[in-house]
Amino acid sequence: MSADDLNRIAIAQMNACVGAIDNNVRRIIDNIRTARQRQADMIIFPELAISGYPPEDLLLRPDFHRQVASAVEAITAQTQGITLILGHSESVQGKLYNVCSLIQDGRRIHSYHKRCLPNYGVFDEKRYFTPGTNSSLCHVGGRKIALSICEDLWTDGPAAEAAGQGAQLLININASPYHTDKARQRQQLICQRASENALPIIYVNMVGGQDELVFDGDSMSANAAGEIVFRAPRFVDDLFLLEATTDAPVALTGNSIAQPHDDAAAVYQAIVLGVKDYAAKNHFAGAVIGLSGGIDSALTLAIAVDALGAENVEVLLMPSRYTAEMSNTDAEQMATALGVTFHRYSIEAPFAAFLDLLQPAFKGRQADATEENIQARCRGILLMAISNKSGKLVLTTGNKSEMAVGYATLYGDMAGGFAPLKDISKTRVYELANWRNRQSPVIPPRMIDRPPSAELRPGQKDTDSLPAYEILDAVLERYIERDNSPTEIIAAGFDAAVVSKISRLVDRNEYKRRQAAPGVRITARAFGRDRRYPISSDYQEKPPPAEAGDGSGDGQGSEGQGSEGKSSANGR
């Protein structure tokens, strides 16, 4: 095998941990050795493979760049007899670049600097990097190869320029995070770029969870006609091989074309990977969950067991005076069936003690969401105490619908370290629960079928305080994920009073979301990195004059009511 050959190409769909430079280097070198053993002439790694993505403000630290530079040297020394395409950052004359380097036989042959820096959604690369201006072309085995990085492919200029300069193959390295419909968008883009430039493309993507983001891999290759000839499985850290011919343009073949998952399967796997990597990369011994007998905590438990193993998951049942016995029965049944350790701690004594302590302050005042929130905070204390003693991560169980309208209690059911369902609407919670049960029945049917209730007062149901979830989620999708205005949503046929109430609840509860645990990003517009609104704001939409006076509703009603330790009241 010679580094000048280009007959077999290895794709390293690698899970890198941000800042774990030494460990990432070891994994890169291990992959190089494996690729060499499998007779590969070239191995391609994802974008910023040395540092992980996104390194964020680590990029502002001089020592970080020294460590990355040393890592590049160490990796370069391991490239005898193989060609390496490596993603890393690099400081050049005081400017920082996102780099794709061609390394061969212990020498760096060429370094391409990313030109198109994304600065939208979860991306803020213009905060750190300088756009590149150097050539993307290099030579391997007598063939012209163009290098590009992620966003360069989403803009038509770089690929067209490379084709115009005679490139025979385009290699695009990525740190492209998952969201629903991303797989379809990627394939469409890669096929389009390949066919419009008559240029085969190898697309290599990172895999793994990094805080809110999940990278799903989905590495693939298209021929010059824009046809997919190889596609790697999603959510899998592995090494894959492509065969290349000496034709011009280069013809590529792979050993498989993985079929995309259906939506529910992909979403579920993304959450499982996000939980698994968040726990591992933050060195938690496992997870602890409050299991209420409701659908949200049941789905969270199933995800935790699939991600971490039943032996590493602990469950607390924390009934109150308002908890129905069937809730306890269903929770115990699920915990037993999954083989997780569970404990039953009634919160009646601490709840009563707080009421007694606060009786002078509450004298003459009606019971309201305050008492409901005290129950939720009793549970939060118990969960955090077990977490502190055991070293296990508290997984919160709230969903996106609740977080959107503030239907959650600060320092209560919001207490915890990671939120698996943070970007999952209530209607999608049901979809995922049913999907998981079709794989194997782990969630008791009654948990899915019974009307959702917080059980913090007699006869309580979520619909006492909120519209039906089918309506709530449809409005929230438009308001949050599509950025529709209330006027636009009303024009789409939704009740004006309902839209006004929901939009106001979303806006006024930003302060809660700022204090919430991070969670897996699933949609193209999640709370956290994606959506940034001021906490202190008196902005109100002013409809066009012709529409002024349309009934917008008071939207007050039961805003202050609680659910599952959840209160949408704006009491700080």
Side-chain angles (χ1 to χ4, degrees):
M1 179 177 63
S2 166
D4 287 330
D5 295 331
L6 189 57
N7 301 315
R8 179 171 288 185
I9 301 170
I11 290 174
Q13 189 166 278
M14 191 181 101
N15 188 338
C17 179
V18 165
I21 294 174
D22 290 344
N23 188 59
N24 292 339
V25 169
R26 281 193 292 270
R27 300 205 57 225
I28 289 169
I29 292 173
D30 285 346
N31 273 296
I32 292 171
R33 290 170 178 162
T34 301
R36 192 184 285 115
Q37 290 167 2
R38 295 172 68 178
Q39 302 300 306
D41 305 303
M42 173 186 283
I43 180 169
I44 309 171
F45 288 91
E47 178 180 9
L48 296 185
I50 290 177
S51 64
Y53 190 96
E56 299 182 297
D57 280 8
L58 291 176
L59 290 166
L60 304 179
R61 296 188 176 187
D63 179 66
F64 179 84
H65 301 302
R66 288 192 290 268
Q67 290 192 39
V68 170
S70 295
V72 173
E73 291 180 7
I75 294 166
T76 299
Q78 301 295 321
T79 59
Q80 295 300 323
I82 195 167
T83 298
L84 171 66
I85 305 294
L86 179 66
H88 59 96
S89 59
E90 186 167 50
S91 181
V92 181
Q93 297 179 342
K95 294 181 179 180
L96 185 62
Y97 295 97
N98 187 337
V99 180
C100 179
S101 288
L102 170 68
I103 302 169
Q104 190 177 78
D105 281 334
R107 293 187 303 119
R108 191 174 352 170
I109 306 300
H110 182 70
S111 288
Y112 166 76
H113 299 161
K114 186 176 184 179
R115 296 183 187 180
C116 303
L117 302 178
N119 218 62
Y120 56 85
V122 300
F123 306 105
D124 52 4
E125 290 194 22
K126 290 183 180 178
R127 174 180 172 89
Y128 308 106
F129 296 114
T130 299
T133 58
N134 64 335
S135 173
S136 67
L137 289 184
C138 51
H139 292 80
V140 177
R143 279 167 285 188
K144 282 187 178 181
I145 293 178
L147 306 179
S148 66
I149 305 175
C150 203
E151 192 76 8
D152 293 330
L153 197 65
W154 292 82
T155 305
D156 56 10
E161 180 184 314
Q165 294 174 345
Q168 297 166 280
L169 173 66
L170 175 65
I171 294 174
N172 182 255
I173 63 171
N174 296 263
S176 174
Y178 165 85
H179 66 69
T180 50
D181 201 39
K182 192 65 170 286
R184 182 195 61 80
Q185 293 174 12
R186 284 196 196 110
Q187 179 172 330
Q188 183 179 42
L189 171 75
I190 291 162
C191 292
Q192 177 185 337
R193 288 287 177 264
S195 62
E196 68 190 9
N197 295 292
L199 186 63
I201 295 174
I202 299 176
Y203 174 98
V204 178
N205 192 27
M206 189 174 287
V207 70
Q210 180 60 43
D211 297 342
E212 298 173 8
L213 303 180
V214 170
F215 301 92
D216 55 329
D218 200 27
S219 301
M220 64 186 83
S221 179
N223 63 21
E227 301 163 331
I228 296 297
V229 296
F230 167 78
R231 191 166 195 169
R234 299 170 79 187
F235 309 108
V236 174
D237 180 340
D238 207 346
L239 196 69
F240 305 95
L241 293 178
L242 295 174
E243 302 294 333
T245 70
T246 57
D247 300 338
V250 176
L252 300 166
T253 57
N255 56 8
S256 66
I257 300 176
Q259 296 302 309
H261 302 85
D262 62 50
D263 286 346
V267 169
Y268 192 88
Q269 289 198 42
I271 301 172
V272 166
L273 182 56
V275 170
K276 179 180 179 180
D277 277 1
Y278 190 87
K281 292 176 181 181
N282 288 283
H283 312 292
F284 283 100
V288 58
I289 300 166
L291 189 61
S292 68
I295 185 64
D296 296 324
S297 60
L299 179 60
T300 302
L301 176 57
I303 289 167
V305 169
D306 289 342
L308 307 174
E311 68 279 9
N312 297 312
V313 178
E314 191 169 353
V315 165
L316 302 190
L317 282 61
M318 298 171 285
S320 76
R321 63 184 68 173
Y322 304 115
T323 302
E325 189 53 38
M326 67 176 172
S327 297
N328 295 324
T329 300
D330 290 347
E332 289 190 7
Q333 177 186 337
M334 183 176 181
T336 301
L338 285 174
V340 300
T341 299
F342 70 92
H343 312 279
R344 184 166 173 168
Y345 298 125
S346 171
I347 64 165
E348 182 59 32
F351 178 43
F354 274 116
L355 293 181
D356 183 61
L357 180 67
L358 291 165
Q359 193 277 332
F362 289 0
K363 187 175 181 179
R365 298 171 184 252
Q366 292 293 317
D368 56 17
T370 307
E371 286 77 6
E372 296 174 23
N373 288 338
I374 290 172
Q375 295 171 69
R377 288 172 180 138
C378 289
R379 291 175 173 138
I381 289 172
L382 291 172
L383 287 165
M384 292 308 300
I386 297 297
S387 173
N388 293 159
K389 283 294 184 186
S390 67
K392 292 177 178 175
L393 170 69
V394 175
L395 296 179
T396 68
T397 62
N399 59 62
K400 188 174 188 176
S401 306
E402 296 166 344
M403 292 307 305
V405 296
Y407 206 49
T409 300
L410 281 172
Y411 327 120
D413 59 308
M414 288 176 63
F418 199 65
L421 306 182
K422 186 175 182 177
D423 200 27
I424 301 295
S425 68
K426 186 73 170 188
T427 49
R428 182 165 271 170
V429 166
Y430 286 104
E431 177 188 352
L432 293 180
N434 284 309
W435 179 87
R436 181 60 183 84
N437 269 5
R438 288 195 295 272
Q439 314 315 303
S440 59
V442 297
I443 301 174
R446 188 163 58 183
M447 284 182 163
I448 299 174
D449 296 337
R450 64 185 290 206
S453 169
E455 299 186 320
L456 294 171
R457 63 175 187 268
Q460 185 179 30
K461 293 184 177 64
D462 287 7
T463 50
D464 296 341
S465 304
L466 297 173
Y469 280 112
E470 294 80 5
I471 297 171
L472 175 64
D473 288 348
V475 173
L476 290 175
E477 179 186 357
R478 286 166 172 80
Y479 192 60
I480 295 166
E481 294 169 25
R482 301 187 198 176
D483 250 345
N484 288 175
S485 69
T487 299
E488 292 172 319
I489 299 171
I490 293 166
F494 291 88
D495 180 78
V498 171
V499 172
S500 179
K501 175 179 178 177
I502 292 171
S503 62
R504 229 177 7 256
L505 283 172
V506 172
D507 293 347
R508 72 189 293 183
N509 281 288
E510 182 64 27
Y511 78 99
K512 286 188 178 180
R513 293 188 291 271
R514 293 284 184 94
Q515 301 178 68
V520 182
R521 174 182 182 258
I522 293 299
T523 67
R525 198 77 188 280
F527 293 127
R529 296 177 64 94
D530 279 343
R531 189 178 186 275
R532 307 174 195 180
Y533 275 76
I535 295 173
S536 303
S537 170
D538 203 25
Y539 172 78
Q540 294 183 1
E541 182 191 26
K542 294 181 179 179
E547 297 177 29
D550 285 357
S552 59
D554 178 71
Q556 295 301 316
S558 55
E559 284 185 13
Q561 302 307 306
S563 174
E564 198 168 326
K566 300 161 184 166
S567 168
S568 51
N570 199 29
R572 305 191 187 194

